[in-house]
Amino acid sequence: MTIPGPNGAPTATTNAIAGGAFMAPVVLAGTISGGIHHHFPPPSTPATPRQLPRCAPHFTNRDTESAALDAARATGTSMMVLSGIAGVGTSALAAQWLHAQAPSADVQLYADLMHTAGRRPEAVLQRWLRALGVDRAPAQKADAVGLWRSLTTDRAVHVLLDGAVDAEQVRPLIPSGPRSLTVITSRKLLWELAVDGALVLPVNPLSRRDAVRLLCAAAGDPQAADDALLPGAEALAEACAHLPLPLVITGARVRARPGRRSFTFPARTAGSPPHLPQEHARMAITDALNVAYADLEPDAQRVYRTLGFLPARTVDADLAAAVCEVPPAVADWLLQVLHDERLLDVPGDSPEPRYRMNDAVRDHAKALDAGTEQEREAALRRLCDWMLTRARHAQRLVTSAQATLLNPGPATGGPFEDKAAALAWLDGQEEDLLPVLKAAESAGWDDLIVGVVDAWWPYFLHRHPYELWIDAHEFGVAAARRSGNAPALRQMLASGAIGLSAGGYITRAVQWYEEVLEGARTAGDTRDAGQALLGLGACHLESGQLDRARQRLEGAMSLWEACGYPRGVGLAEITLGEVCLAEANPTAAREHLASAHNRLTELGEAYEGARALALHGHARARSGETAEGIAELKLALETITGSPRWHARALEWLGEAHRHHGDTATARTCWSEAAGLHEGLGRSTDAARLRALVAGQ
């Protein structure tokens, strides 16, 4: 195509595609006879989330607690807090009762907060919003909460928050609709939630009779509660403090050893009072865990001990195989053994076979002898290397065109079939990233830290978890400083500054970019210096410092022209065009944007070229060439649909152009669609502004 310059003279362009490109079907032919049909699969509809964990197979009694929950629900209470000591069965009770409420639920969601005390509410909301069909969940807490409340206003959403730490962790996760229901489990009373109308229901250990019934049922011999073996069962139930968790674990061990006479285990804590303090309850759980551990085969014991001291909170067969140096099939079987013995849990929201240790079990495993310090360090290193290797493959697969400093080149083979699988793996490792980085820092593996953070670029780019993005780069920057690796330090600062800027931390982003610039100039690295100047220009534009933005961007263009980096020149020209538009100078903007479009299109950068074209069409419409601007905006929209933020911006500009052209109805349609995209991104301010335009305000 040809784009007119500022004086109307045509500017020739050349379209070229370098490398592999995959786009919509196109037929190129001199003559076509007959019909041509392209068939596309129907769009997939996300499944209705039903994330509750399954009901406990030997759930016993709790009639009093269930009746209290029923009565509260009947009076309109929509939030219940079940509190109790470790192992008392709050999670099982919550799941059992919520499953009974399933007919009135449109959606059932689950968050396992028990093992991740520092879990941020926004991380939970991002996962839930994706489950509800939001393609790109907002990373900022306020935006995520606002979108969550909007989506749950008219739905009956049933939520189980398992293992809450405090009231502030819970409040952002409560659905807003009047038909919704939230059940929270915690080791703390969380009385503060009573202010919000919650029923706070303490859950006590089972009665003697019910504890024996549960133990016998878990052991596969429910009749034993009524026969001569009852005294032995009573003693063992007392040793378990009448807590369901150790009762079920101990019963499972009895059942797994048919040659052993039932209930002949020694009752180490028999005679304990019925209401035990926390430390005595943990002792009872440890007693049951000791029995379970003693009957495991040696390989299962080794896996159990190893998982206890690893920083990873979730584990699958692939990870266990790498860390424990066993074949994947063996690792999978050993994890199933540990799960069958109730030493591992399966998270309710896990899409694949992944396991967790609850805190009591982890403490028990950690206290066991896990080998020498050298053996523990070797296992930790294998975990870190496993994460690095897979993250590097994900990076090469998902963002191969943006090869990072330490991870160049496209993917060739590896554990992931496609980009979706790679991103799904990164999703599953999200909560383990910082603990692994912290463990690597303690071990002094600075190069590994930089490599892991560098390889996680596709997750940061596609999921926008700004707080995690920044925290991870704090580790990376510190590691690069300690190692004295100047190029790695510039890489960590530059990629971290992008997250800081996108997250709204402009001042700090500028500081990091300035350090990159100083280091690049000292090293004579023109490429890095230009990248720092481009980032600084974008930050100054965001903060309204247009003169400083122009100075930085022109400096970046000059450097990149001198070193022969045309892609960088084109990117800088796009931002410079935005500066001109902010200065109300559409003529100058058109000049830069036409140049950027031509340059980037010639390089095969279809998406970046479309960004330049959208801005150029916006500038033309503002210059009075409304019809031409509309045409260019429509053409650009065909390419940038994969980016909701730029798609929304182009739709807003298209709506503005249609309004100037006198077509108010089409303008409102464009603004309404753009507002929906902004809402999906959590950009509530932009969405509200566009909704006001649709309403004619």
Side-chain angles (χ1 to χ4, degrees), residues 286 290 293 304-305 308-309 360-370 376:
T286 300
N290 283 337
Y293 174 77
Y304 178 73
R305 294 193 306 267
F309 73 82
V361 176
R362 181 176 294 276
D363 289 345
H364 177 265
K366 190 182 298 185
L368 297 170
D369 180 13
R376 290 194 295 271

Side-chain angles (χ1 to χ4, degrees), residues 404-405 450 453-454 457 460 469-470 473-474 476-477 480-481 486-502 505 508-520 525 527-536 538-539 560:
T404 58
L405 176 70
V450 172
V453 176
D454 185 67
W457 174 251
F460 301 141
W469 188 337
I470 295 166
H473 279 82
E474 292 280 9
V477 167
R481 290 194 198 281
L489 176 58
R490 295 197 298 273
Q491 174 75 8
M492 291 292 97
L493 288 167
S495 58
I498 297 172
L500 286 166
S501 177
Y505 303 97
R508 198 164 173 219
V510 168
Q511 293 172 349
W512 283 28
Y513 278 130
E514 291 284 9
E515 185 173 350
V516 174
L517 181 59
E518 181 181 354
D525 190 327
R527 184 86 166 257
D528 277 3
Q531 186 66 45
L533 289 170
L534 174 60
L536 287 167
C539 286
W560 281 335

Side-chain angles (χ1 to χ4, degrees), residues 117-347:
R119 182 87 176 207
R120 295 183 299 270
E122 56 266 36
V124 176
L125 289 177
Q126 287 173 359
R127 181 170 295 180
W128 282 355
L129 290 171
R130 288 197 291 269
L132 293 176
V134 177
D135 290 333
R136 184 168 295 184
Q140 296 296 331
K141 178 179 176 181
D143 294 333
V145 171
L147 180 57
W148 163 247
R149 290 172 179 168
S150 297
L151 291 178
T152 58
T153 298
D154 298 318
R155 294 184 179 183
V157 180
H158 289 191
V159 167
L160 173 52
L161 300 174
D162 203 5
V165 175
D166 54 44
E168 292 309 311
Q169 185 188 33
V170 166
R171 286 190 172 107
L173 305 177
I174 299 171
S176 62
R179 297 186 295 130
S180 292
L181 181 61
T182 303
V183 178
I184 303 151
T185 72
S186 178
R187 296 180 186 176
K188 301 179 181 180
L189 193 60
L190 298 188
W191 58 266
E192 303 95 328
L193 292 175
V195 177
D196 301 321
L199 166 70
V200 179
L201 182 64
V203 179
N204 296 316
L206 294 170
S207 67
R208 180 193 62 80
R209 175 66 175 168
D210 287 333
V212 171
R213 287 176 55 206
L214 175 57
L215 176 64
C216 294
D221 191 6
Q223 301 303 318
D226 300 317
D227 63 20
L229 294 175
L230 182 58
E234 285 183 337
L236 194 52
E238 193 73 19
C240 296
H242 294 180
L243 296 173
L245 175 62
L247 287 167
V248 169
I249 292 173
T250 304
R253 292 312 306 150
V254 172
R255 186 171 189 171
R257 297 294 298 273
R260 171 181 288 169
R261 190 183 179 195
S262 297
F263 310 122
T264 58
F265 296 99
R268 297 181 181 86
T269 59
S272 300
H275 297 289
L276 296 173
Q278 179 74 25
E279 58 271 19
H280 289 175
R282 182 59 58 89
M283 290 174 59
I285 294 173
T286 300
D287 183 78
L289 292 174
N290 283 337
V291 173
Y293 174 77
D295 280 342
L296 292 173
E297 60 179 274
D299 284 343
Q301 287 182 338
R302 183 168 70 90
V303 172
Y304 178 73
R305 294 193 306 267
T306 302
L307 296 182
F309 73 82
L310 289 179
R313 308 303 299 181
T314 59
V315 60
D316 58 14
D318 190 36
L319 184 156
V323 173
C324 299
E325 297 183 299
V326 297
V330 174
D332 183 52
W333 179 74
L334 292 173
L335 291 176
Q336 289 184 46
V337 169
L338 296 177
H339 175 250
D340 290 343
E341 302 305 324
R342 301 299 188 267
L343 297 173
L344 293 178
D345 301 324
V346 176

Side-chain angles (χ1 to χ4, degrees), residues 399-417:
T399 55
S400 57
Q402 296 171 306
T404 58
L405 176 70
L406 305 175
N407 195 29
T412 54
F416 309 122
E417 297 180 358

Side-chain angles (χ1 to χ4, degrees), residues 26-56:
V26 174
V27 175
L28 182 64
T31 302
I32 298 176
S33 299
I36 295 178
H37 303 279
H38 292 298
H39 298 281
F40 297 91
S44 59
T45 301
T48 300
R50 299 289 181 183
Q51 297 180 352
L52 295 181
R54 69 188 184 94
C55 293

Side-chain angles (χ1 to χ4, degrees), residues 480-676:
R481 290 194 198 281
R482 287 191 298 267
S483 67
N485 188 333
L489 176 58
R490 295 197 298 273
Q491 174 75 8
M492 291 292 97
L493 288 167
S495 58
I498 297 172
L500 286 166
S501 177
Y505 303 97
I506 302 299
T507 300
R508 198 164 173 219
V510 168
Q511 293 172 349
W512 283 28
Y513 278 130
E514 291 284 9
E515 185 173 350
V516 174
L517 181 59
E518 181 181 354
R521 285 173 172 170
T522 300
D525 190 327
T526 305
R527 184 86 166 257
D528 277 3
Q531 186 66 45
L533 289 170
L534 174 60
L536 287 167
C539 286
H540 293 323
L541 171 61
E542 185 72 19
S543 60
Q545 302 177 70
L546 301 183
D547 289 340
R548 297 188 69 185
R550 176 182 295 279
Q551 179 186 9
R552 296 299 195 180
L553 293 167
E554 289 176 347
M557 290 173 61
S558 178
L559 286 177
W560 281 335
E561 285 171 345
C563 73
Y565 183 41
R567 182 180 186 274
V569 175
L571 296 178
E573 281 193 294
I574 291 177
T575 309
L576 192 54
E578 291 197 77
V579 171
C580 293
L581 285 171
E583 293 172 334
N585 188 352
T587 300
R590 287 175 58 183
E591 180 178 351
H592 290 297
L593 294 166
S595 174
H597 174 267
N598 295 337
R599 190 187 308 271
L600 292 165
T601 302
E602 289 172 359
L603 292 171
E605 295 278 355
Y607 168 74
E608 302 294 356
R611 287 202 304 128
L613 181 61
L615 279 162
H616 187 274
H618 178 45
R620 290 190 77 175
R622 290 180 60 176
S623 299
E625 299 178 11
T626 309
E628 295 81 357
I630 289 173
E632 289 182 1
L633 282 162
K634 287 182 176 179
L635 184 60
L637 279 166
E638 296 177 1
T639 302
I640 60 177
T641 52
S643 171
R645 180 171 180 267
W646 270 91
H647 193 187
R649 295 186 75 189
L651 281 170
E652 181 178 352
W653 298 332
L654 183 59
E656 181 182 323
H658 278 296
R659 181 177 61 179
H660 290 163
H661 206 247
D663 189 352
T664 305
T666 302
R668 289 176 174 170
T669 299
C670 293
W671 291 331
S672 180
E673 185 177 348

